[in-house]
């Protein structure tokens, strides 16, 4: 929406909204949230700064990243430091959280190995694990509770989103607005893929909304491509008929001279 806005005020509002959302991510001190943010920013810089030839965005991203890390990143820095070891008492909860999630990941992989076909049923991992905790990983959530087939289907659904976006970009090489939307959706989808390693979101609506958005965008771009092809074909036929009509009098004159 920032790049689609035509007014300077609109651009300023969307830029402010982005800064507020980034600030909120830092305030949560979520390690998974920060990793997802970095992944989304990396895709946005690749799509809009490098491929879109807006090199100034690289400078803006570096300056903003340093500012956020220095002034609001103390919480997330301490949690990353506590992931490997707990050196201070106030970091104990972050260290315990990291170890608990590591144990839950291993437990979910064990449950997957023990019940590979159908899993233990949706929502039953907290019961089987004995800790009354979810897997904190969407991929092992699906494999442990739905089996490997459900896991493969889940991966295929997410991959379909990326395939839709790749096809959309191929079909809309000259449609700038559609390409901007496809790039933004790709960044969102990449952020979800990374964030899914740290949260159990496989049963939520929004990952499937992401894929549905990519499908809708692909169908719109495909319809526009078909309409453009038909228009080009009709224009080519019209020009061919016009050329034939222009050549017809010369042919008739040649027959009369003969």
């Amino acid at each position: 929406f920032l790049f689609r806005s035509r007014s300077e005020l609109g651009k300023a509002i969307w830029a402010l909204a982005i800064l507020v959302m980034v600030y909120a991510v830092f305030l949560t001190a979520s390690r998974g949230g920060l990793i997802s943010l970095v992944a989304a920013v990396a895709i946005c810089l690749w799509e809009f700064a490098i491929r879109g030839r807006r090199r100034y965005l690289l400078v803006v991203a570096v300056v903003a990243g340093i500012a956020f890390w220095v002034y609001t990143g103390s919480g997330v820095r301490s949690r990353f430091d506590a992931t490997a070891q707990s050196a201070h008492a106030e970091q104990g909860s972050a260290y315990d959280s990291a170890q608990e999630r590591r144990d839950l990941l291993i437990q979910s992989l064990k449950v997957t190995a023990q019940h590979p076909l159908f899993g233990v049923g949706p929502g039953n991992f907290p019961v089987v694990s004995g800790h009354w905790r979810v897997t904190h990983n969407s991929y092992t959530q699906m494999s442990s509770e739905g089996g490997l087939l459900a896991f493969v289907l889940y991966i295929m659904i997410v991959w379909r989103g990326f395939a839709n976006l790749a096809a959309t970009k191929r079909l809309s090489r000259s449609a700038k607005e559609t390409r901007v939307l496809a790039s933004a959706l790709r960044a969102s989808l990449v952020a979800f893929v990374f964030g899914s390693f740290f949260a159990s979101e496989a049963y939520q609506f929004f990952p499937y909304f992401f894929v549905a958005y990519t499908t809708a965008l692909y169908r719109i771009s495909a319809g526009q491509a078909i309409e453009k092809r038909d228009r080009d074909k009709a224009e080519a036929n019209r020009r061919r008929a016009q050329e034939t009509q222009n050549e017809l009098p010369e042919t008739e004159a040649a027959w009369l001279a003969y």
Side-chain angles (χ1 to χ4, degrees):
F1 295 106
L2 173 64
F3 297 117
R4 292 179 60 202
S5 178
R6 299 181 182 274
S7 66
E8 296 299 327
L9 178 61
K11 291 181 182 294
I13 292 174
W14 284 113
L16 179 61
I18 292 173
L19 292 176
V20 170
M21 287 188 288
V22 173
Y23 179 63
V25 172
F26 274 91
L27 286 184
T28 63
S30 170
R31 291 161 290 192
L34 182 61
I35 292 173
S36 299
L37 175 63
V38 170
V41 170
I43 297 299
C44 286
L45 290 178
W46 170 255
E47 294 284 352
F48 301 120
I50 297 177
R51 299 185 65 181
R53 298 180 180 179
R54 301 180 181 92
R55 303 301 169 86
Y56 65 91
L57 291 177
L58 296 173
V59 178
V60 172
V62 170
V63 172
I66 293 174
F68 278 116
W69 186 257
V70 171
Y71 293 105
T72 62
S74 58
V76 72
R77 282 201 306 271
S78 64
R79 289 182 67 84
F80 270 111
D81 293 339
T83 300
Q85 57 182 358
S86 179
H88 304 285
E90 60 269 17
Q91 295 179 339
S93 61
Y95 175 78
D96 293 340
S97 174
Q99 292 302 307
E100 183 182 35
R101 295 194 180 197
R102 174 179 175 275
D103 294 339
L104 287 170
L105 175 62
I106 295 174
Q107 181 67 21
S108 64
L109 292 174
K110 289 181 179 178
V111 172
T112 300
Q114 293 170 357
H115 307 274
L117 294 180
F118 304 108
V120 294
N124 285 332
F125 176 81
V127 180
V128 176
S129 66
H131 300 288
W132 292 100
R133 295 285 190 275
V134 295
T135 63
H136 284 287
N137 186 302
S138 297
Y139 307 105
T140 59
Q141 177 190 24
M142 189 62 73
S143 65
S144 62
E145 297 184 353
L148 292 178
L149 180 59
F151 168 75
V152 171
L153 290 175
Y154 180 70
I155 295 297
M156 291 175 64
I157 291 173
V158 175
W159 180 254
R160 184 69 258 171
F162 288 105
N164 286 338
L165 294 176
T168 298
K169 288 201 167 189
R170 287 196 303 270
L171 292 171
S172 58
R173 298 185 185 276
S174 59
K176 181 179 178 181
E177 183 174 355
T178 302
R179 293 180 64 84
V180 168
L181 289 174
S183 298
L185 280 173
R186 177 177 290 175
S188 300
L189 201 54
V190 168
F192 172 77
V193 167
F194 278 88
S196 294
F197 283 101
F198 311 100
S200 298
E201 306 292 348
Y203 302 148
Q204 301 296 327
F205 286 132
F206 57 84
Y208 307 102
F209 285 165
F210 274 144
V211 179
Y213 293 152
T214 65
T215 302
L217 189 62
Y218 166 70
R219 294 303 304 168
I220 292 172
S221 60
Q224 292 174 344
I226 293 174
E227 291 178 0
K228 183 177 182 300
R229 184 192 62 188
D230 293 341
R231 287 196 304 268
D232 293 343
K233 185 183 296 186
E235 180 64 20
N237 292 335
R238 188 189 65 80
R239 290 179 179 178
R240 191 178 300 112
Q242 184 66 32
E243 292 174 358
T244 303
Q245 185 177 2
N246 293 336
E247 293 174 356
L248 185 59
E250 298 179 1
T251 306
E252 291 180 348
W255 275 104
L256 290 174
Y258 178 77

